Amino acid sequence: MADTSTRTLISQTQLNRPVGKAVYWTVLTLVVAGFTLVFLGPLYWLVTGGLKSTQEVIQNPPTFFPHRIHTDTYSEAWSKLNMGRLLFNTLYYAFGALAFQLVFDVAAAYALSKLRPVLGNLILGMMLATLMIPSAVLIVPQYLTVLDLPLLHLNLVNTPWAIWLPTVANAFNIFLLKRFFDSVPDELMAAAAIDGASPMRTLWSIILPMSRPIIGVVSIFAVVNVWKDFLWPLLVQPDPRNQPLNIGINSLSIGVPQNVVIAALAIASLPTIAFFLIFQRNIMAGLTSGGLKG
């Protein structure tokens, strides 16, 4: 009896025919090659642009390969644009934001999933509703908030808190964590309660050790979001000494040759690309974990 559980756009009978097989592989190859060019094309231009001379970078039409490779452009970018200091600032902001997100987002997701507070579903729905609001709309109220922090009346501009605090309330990360916590059997919670474990002890000893995949995903998202952000650090970090990579390169690029700026941008993008290539398996595992209960 034929297996009808697997449904595809092209039937197996058509794929077994020479014409159908040729059309299938031709279309698949063209689609994969097209998407590869779309995603890797800008990265290739970024890397090779830093290896070209200034005249070759700005010439029109652009060259596909550098006529002469200038490897010293990258060392010049590192020294001229003070990349070491900018890299330290970025890591400081990124991992500070990560620490706050792990503390508060895990606590919020755990409370909504296992403690089930009054109006918890309403609170979760309001959190998810904020994902529909464009981030550009929130720029002005967020800036006014860090300019004069309510109740305390503190000016957080040009301090790390201006970057850390807005990243704490991340509805998407809370949703991912809650979805994973929902897949943890309630029997484990009941057994821990019978043994006298408090909700905090249950979170620390049972939930968190089981949640390493999703915590890894949330950590990656938290670091990458701070790393790639441009507009918000531009507003709240006007001092060049405190700026992260993206803003610092933009501020210090005045009078710097174009190929040196491109080389600096390539250096700035390298850590995130390497980070993703190393942990891509963890990202996919964390995103799919908790989808099914059983």
Side-chain angles (χ1 to χ4, degrees), residues 163-236:
I163 293 180
W164 290 341
L165 292 183
T167 63
V168 171
N170 192 308
F172 181 70
N173 287 345
I174 293 176
F175 172 71
L176 288 181
L177 290 165
K178 180 187 179 299
R179 190 180 69 170
F180 187 92
F181 293 162
D182 287 342
S183 67
V184 177
D186 292 334
E187 289 77 7
L188 290 176
M189 304 288 297
I194 293 174
D195 290 340
S198 64
M200 182 62 69
R201 179 61 184 270
T202 303
L203 171 65
W204 182 259
S205 301
I206 297 177
I207 302 296
L208 290 183
M210 299 175 60
S211 307
R212 289 177 182 174
I214 193 63
I215 290 177
V217 172
V218 170
S219 301
I220 292 171
F221 286 167
V223 172
V224 172
N225 285 338
V226 175
W227 197 288
K228 70 179 182 178
D229 198 8
F230 180 84
L231 181 57
W232 181 247
L234 180 65
L235 293 175
V236 298

Side-chain angles (χ1 to χ4, degrees), residues 55-113:
Q55 292 76 15
E56 190 176 358
V57 167
I58 64 177
Q59 78 176 37
N60 193 16
T63 56
F64 192 72
F65 297 104
H67 293 321
R68 183 182 175 188
I69 296 179
H70 299 265
T71 56
D72 57 331
T73 307
Y74 283 87
S75 59
E76 185 180 355
W78 182 272
S79 59
K80 275 192 174 182
L81 297 178
N82 199 13
M83 296 292 292
R85 177 65 183 180
L86 298 179
L87 181 61
F88 171 79
N89 291 341
T90 307
L91 291 173
Y92 181 58
Y93 296 142
F95 285 96
L98 169 61
F100 281 107
Q101 285 197 35
L102 288 182
V103 172
F104 291 100
D105 290 0
V106 167
Y110 176 68
L112 292 172
S113 175

